[in-house]
Amino acid sequence: QTLGSFHPSGPTAFAAEVEKASTLLSQGDHFHYVFTDRDGTLKSYSCSYPTSVQPAYSAVIQAQFARRCAQFCAIVTTAPLVHIGILNMSTMPEGYYAYGASAGREWYFNPAMQFKDDSVSDADLMLLNKAFDKVEDLLENPEFRNFTWIGSGLQKHYGHITIAKQDVNNSIPHRKSQLLFDEVTKIVNEVDPPGAILTIRENEYDIKIYTKAKLSGRIFNKGHGVRLIERKMGMQLHDGNILVCGDSETDLPMLEECLSVAPPNVYTIWVTKDEALQEKVTQTCARFHNNNVTFVSCPEVLLGAMAQATVRELEVRGGDLDDDSDI
């Protein structure tokens, strides 16, 4: 009931969507692997990333779901790992989820178990750091300083940089966002004149500077992040059911990677009302002859479905919610 009050269309619509998502989770029954985005998927977007701390109720629901309904769970995010990164925002105890930060380019299980993508050379990272320093200087300019206060602000990831250009309320004039993009482009061209190492991409809210992978020139994405942990940890994704949750196009490669390994075993829930994105997700699944997909309109619905799945698991297989001493 409490979560339902936050649904944009009210408690009745919330209950209907939770039922739909719960049905999909019931079909998957118990998941060997869970790969999920965080911001926009498990938590609504905040006005700025430093305020995007995970609520306690969300931590309890996610941890209990991981404990009862899955063998391995990972949050795969484009946010950095530390220095106002995903580890700073999470309130769950260690052990329930692995964290794939920087689109899965750096992985954290616990202080003794963490690793990074080794395809990025030190020279490339030095060039990226040089670009970061120049962008940081740019944002010290009063004309651009407000960009550090919105959305992602300025984030240094492993292998790329994010600069916010707009907030969720679209309060920044387009002209000013375009001016920022032009200045960032100048910096990248100055640091890497041939354009052989760095490349720029932008979306509705952010400008991103990436290092290109050697030979292919591709940009590291969440699909590569899933493949990295699969290889490093010796995972056999085809051994059981996989749950993939996301809310944006950056999550599609994660879904594609899982579908490419075990097409019939993938179940996916997307938090989006964007019809174009819904169509892309549906078509992606259809390419692999998979229709285990459903869409919900806000993160609270997904959390509600995860809570129901946990209760169902306890009813079917037994157990007690009160036997977790660390939550």
Side-chain angles (χ1 to χ4, degrees), residues 4 13 19 26 43 64 95 104 112 126 133 164 182 185 206 209 224 226 245 248 253 283-284 287 301 308 311-313:
E19 183 64 28
S26 296
K43 184 189 179 303
Q64 289 288 358
M126 286 180 62
D133 291 340
D182 293 342
T185 301
D206 298 314
I209 305 172
H224 302 131
V226 171
C245 301
S248 69
Q283 289 181 354
T284 299
R287 286 206 327 265
V301 173
Q308 281 204 4
V311 172
R312 173 187 172 276
E313 184 77 9

Side-chain angles (χ1 to χ4, degrees), residues 146-221:
N146 63 316
F147 288 104
T148 63
W149 305 331
I150 64 169
S152 302
L154 174 62
Q155 293 181 334
K156 181 192 285 187
H157 312 255
Y158 185 72
H160 75 276
I161 298 166
T162 298
I163 309 106
K165 70 169 190 177
Q166 186 58 271
D167 61 17
V168 293
N169 299 312
N170 292 310
S171 63
I172 306 297
H174 175 74
R175 176 194 58 80
K176 195 166 185 179
S177 295
Q178 185 60 47
L179 185 59
L180 175 68
F181 180 80
D182 293 342
E183 291 298 321
V184 171
T185 301
K186 288 179 185 177
I187 288 173
V188 171
N189 290 337
E190 177 186 338
V191 171
D192 181 28
I197 306 300
L198 304 180
T199 185
I200 298 179
R201 295 288 187 274
E202 64 174 334
N203 56 35
E204 186 178 357
Y205 299 116
D206 298 314
I207 301 166
K208 294 180 183 287
I209 305 172
Y210 292 95
T211 57
K212 297 177 182 178
K214 291 293 183 287
L215 300 179
S216 67
R218 63 170 170 76
I219 293 172
F220 194 96
N221 60 44

Side-chain angles (χ1 to χ4, degrees), residues 1-16:
Q1 291 180 348
T2 302
L3 286 176
S5 65
F6 292 98
H7 192 280
S9 300
T12 302
F14 171 81

Side-chain angles (χ1 to χ4, degrees), residues 106-123:
E106 49 182 344
W107 282 91
Y108 178 93
F109 291 75
N110 56 59
M113 173 64 74
Q114 45 188 313
F115 55 84
K116 297 179 179 180
D117 169 34
D118 56 11
S119 68
V120 191
S121 71
D122 290 340

